[in-house]
Amino acid sequence: MPERRTVALVTLGCARNEVDSEELAGRLEADGWQLVEDAEDADVAVVNTCGFVEAAKKDSVDALLEANDLKGHGKTQAVVAVGCMAERYGKELAEALPEADGVLGFDDYADISGRLQTILSGGSVEAHTPRDRRKLLPISPAERQLAKADVALPGHADAAAPADLPEGVAPASGPRAPLRRRLGTNPVASVKLASGCDRRCSFCAIPSFRGSFISRRPSDVLGETRWLAEQGVKEVMLVSENNTSYGKDLGDIRLLETLLPELAAVDGIERVRVSYLQPAEMRPGLIDVLTSTEKIAPYFDLSFQHSAPGVLRAMRRFGDTDRFLELLDTIRSKAPQAGVRSNFIVGFPGETEADVAELERFLTGARLDAIGVFGYSDEEGTEAATYDAKLDQDVVDARLAHISRLAEELTSQRADERVGETVEVLVESLDEEEGPLGRAAHQAPETDGQIRLTGTAGGDALQVGRMVVAKVVGTEGVDLVAECLEEARR
């Protein structure tokens, strides 16, 4: 029997990319490829790139160049770019980065195995030609489900799954669903709720290369969650470009409110988390479900971006400081310990000192658990890139530094407020120096800090994948220290 060809997947960017990488892994292993962890041990290194902002694009290029350096010094024969940056730039990226042996777009995912085989055999695969993916589906959301069969949508069903699948590879949600192969053993996994976005924020290029918003069927999401639970997953995080729009193309904008309790009831799942919520689309019923349903984390990843009305309107967004604070008051009146995080852009074209002061007023009153701050930069193809009144780079940098310092101070204060709280912590790792590490309901993976656990809870409660009850006794910046009291009982 010939030796199986090996492939390594290097993933950059957001949790949505991680799900896409696991779909590619499932497709490849089902077609006979052997997955390896390190690029240096693989015949071909597939880099799942991010194309969101300049820093992310630079990281993607660096990863491609790093993988290319392995060629000629070990097993690696080829380096292939996939993901958002490859989809967004295609042939332009291929010309600018000849070190990549292939630049493949979303349309290539269905035959990713064939594409890689061709490249390894010395053949060439034409670089992806970018196109505005917003134009591939009907404008009317109600018509998209019927039309999606002709459009490549990572994370959505597109063909019948093979009858015989390798162990650990399964249709994530039924007989006509994307294959999925977990690339790690962490007890937390993301589940794609939808893809694309219908919003037209003036600073964002994502809809142009991710396409229009389209929901996955509830049965698909449930099926994938059940499969993940069978793989040992304890927490699922629902991801998409805009989770608050879920169901609008299925005829029910409140579909998320009915789906969440069903996900929470999946045997083996201890926590369900919803990411990326639009403040302007928050509904009283959704807030109620997120704050009162057992196993649903009272966690609000709200995309505020700014709070000064003039800046928000220029961003083609809605709201203001007082309305945002009122939303947070409503959430905390129902769940005082609810976690809230958000990202903000400073230095947007036309932003004034008064606008910065208004943002400071919001941040000071919001009591956010985690804050991401970014300095504005033009993204080609966006409306904001055409705006006048651009600020000098030194002004943008100064405002970024100022708001970042304020954010660090405020999130540390918010962590201090949590001392004395009793929290449920999912144990995620056992560090040799720090001991058991995990996260509470108000902390999402990788972005919101973690909890270092002390004490014992009897038996093997402090093992990876266990949910324990702990009391917060100290802080380390945004991270918390908590004394373990007992294993959580359901």
Side-chain angles (χ1 to χ4, degrees):
M1 179 180 294
E3 183 179 357
R4 296 168 65 192
R5 289 193 160 178
T6 53
V7 58
L9 285 146
V10 180
T11 306
L12 295 95
C14 63
R16 300 183 294 277
N17 253 17
E18 294 172 5
V19 177
D20 290 348
S21 285
E22 294 197 346
E23 178 186 343
L24 292 173
R27 289 180 182 274
L28 289 166
E29 190 159 72
D31 204 45
W33 291 74
Q34 179 182 348
L35 299 170
V36 296
E37 186 173 344
D38 296 322
E40 62 184 355
D41 299 325
D43 293 316
V44 57
V46 177
V47 180
N48 192 349
T49 61
C50 178
F52 182 37
V53 293
E54 284 303 318
K57 288 182 278 190
K58 182 181 182 303
D59 288 344
S60 296
V61 170
D62 289 345
L64 287 163
L65 293 174
E66 183 178 342
N68 182 70
D69 289 341
L70 298 173
K71 290 191 295 187
H73 300 286
K75 186 167 184 168
T76 308
Q77 301 172 47
V79 176
V80 174
V82 299
C84 290
M85 189 176 180
E87 175 65 37
R88 184 177 181 183
Y89 295 104
K91 290 183 177 181
E92 181 182 342
L93 176 62
E95 292 170 0
L97 198 70
E99 292 85 352
D101 299 284
V103 176
L104 308 180
F106 299 150
D107 295 334
D108 295 302
Y109 284 18
D111 188 30
I112 185 67
S113 177
R115 301 290 194 272
L116 298 189
Q117 291 281 13
T118 297
I119 291 169
L120 281 181
S121 299
S124 62
V125 175
E126 186 177 358
H128 163 69
T129 300
R131 52 182 173 167
D132 189 339
R133 298 191 74 86
R134 290 172 293 192
K135 299 178 181 179
L136 301 183
L137 289 168
I139 294 176
S140 169
E143 298 176 6
R144 292 175 189 166
Q145 291 291 326
L146 292 176
K148 74 176 186 179
D150 299 324
V151 179
L153 297 169
H156 293 251
D158 59 5
D164 299 318
L165 292 171
E167 183 178 354
V169 177
S173 53
R176 293 182 63 83
L179 302 177
R180 184 166 181 176
R181 169 68 153 83
R182 295 213 69 206
L183 293 175
T185 58
N186 192 292
V188 182
S190 296
V191 173
K192 190 173 287 190
L193 193 63
S195 60
C197 185
D198 287 343
R199 300 184 72 88
R200 294 295 178 262
C201 300
S202 63
F203 57 84
C204 183
I206 288 176
S208 66
F209 57 84
R210 275 291 184 180
S212 299
F213 184 89
I214 187 162
S215 306
R216 293 181 68 197
R217 294 169 299 183
S219 58
D220 289 348
V221 179
L222 273 166
E224 185 167 343
T225 299
R226 293 189 183 105
W227 179 77
L228 288 168
E230 292 170 359
Q231 308 301 305
V233 169
K234 300 299 181 183
E235 176 180 325
V236 294
M237 184 167 73
L238 302 181
V239 299
S240 78
E241 280 75 17
N242 178 10
N243 283 328
T244 32
S245 283
Y246 179 69
K248 72 175 186 179
D249 53 319
L250 294 170
D252 185 359
I253 191 60
R254 294 177 176 80
L255 195 54
L256 184 56
E257 286 96 302
T258 57
L259 176 60
L260 285 172
E262 294 183 71
L263 293 172
V266 171
D267 188 33
I269 295 299
E270 293 292 332
R271 180 185 289 155
V272 178
R273 184 184 304 278
V274 184
S275 68
Y276 212 81
L277 302 167
Q278 287 290 343
E281 297 181 32
M282 289 301 295
R283 306 174 291 275
L286 180 55
I287 294 174
D288 288 342
V289 171
L290 288 170
T291 55
S292 64
T293 308
E294 185 179 12
K295 294 189 180 181
I296 301 296
Y299 175 80
F300 294 82
D301 177 12
L302 293 163
S303 175
F304 290 121
Q305 301 299 345
H306 212 284
S307 73
V311 175
L312 287 169
R313 300 308 171 269
M315 290 178 169
R316 297 210 179 278
R317 298 177 65 84
F318 305 94
D320 56 47
T321 295
D322 292 331
R323 275 187 276 187
F324 289 164
L325 291 176
E326 182 180 349
L327 172 60
L328 295 178
D329 286 344
T330 299
I331 290 168
R332 289 174 174 137
S333 70
K334 298 174 182 294
Q337 289 184 232
V340 186
R341 82 168 318 276
S342 192
N343 293 325
F344 300 88
I345 298 173
V346 296
F348 195 78
E351 181 189 61
T352 65
E353 290 289 353
D355 294 328
V356 176
E358 185 68 1
L359 177 57
E360 290 182 46
R361 182 170 80 89
F362 172 68
L363 291 174
T364 303
R367 297 169 55 232
L368 303 179
D369 291 280
I371 300 171
V373 187
F374 301 89
Y376 172 81
S377 62
D378 284 339
E379 278 295 311
E380 56 196 284
T382 63
E383 182 183 354
T386 68
Y387 285 177
D388 296 327
K390 298 281 176 59
L391 303 182
D392 292 340
Q393 189 59 49
D394 58 347
V395 174
V396 176
D397 293 342
R399 291 180 181 179
L400 173 61
H402 172 64
I403 296 297
S404 295
R405 287 192 297 270
L406 176 63
E408 183 176 358
E409 178 183 345
L410 292 172
T411 51
S412 294
Q413 291 176 7
R414 178 63 180 137
D416 289 338
E417 291 178 16
R418 291 195 178 275
V419 173
E421 288 185 357
T422 299
V423 293
E424 287 192 350
V425 181
L426 176 63
V427 182
E428 292 190 35
S429 64
L430 302 176
D431 187 90
E432 290 185 3
E433 296 183 359
E434 297 187 86
L437 299 174
R439 291 175 300 101
H442 71 278
Q443 298 168 311
E446 300 184 8
T447 60
D448 300 344
Q450 61 185 1
I451 291 181
R452 178 166 61 85
L453 291 162
T454 64
T456 61
D460 57 355
L462 290 178
Q463 296 297 313
V464 172
R466 297 295 182 92
M467 188 77 78
V468 299
V469 177
K471 182 177 181 179
V472 180
V473 296
T475 65
E476 297 171 346
V478 296
D479 296 330
L480 304 178
V481 180
E483 181 182 1
C484 187
L485 303 177
E486 61 181 348
E487 187 169 2
R489 307 294 179 186
R490 297 297 185 189

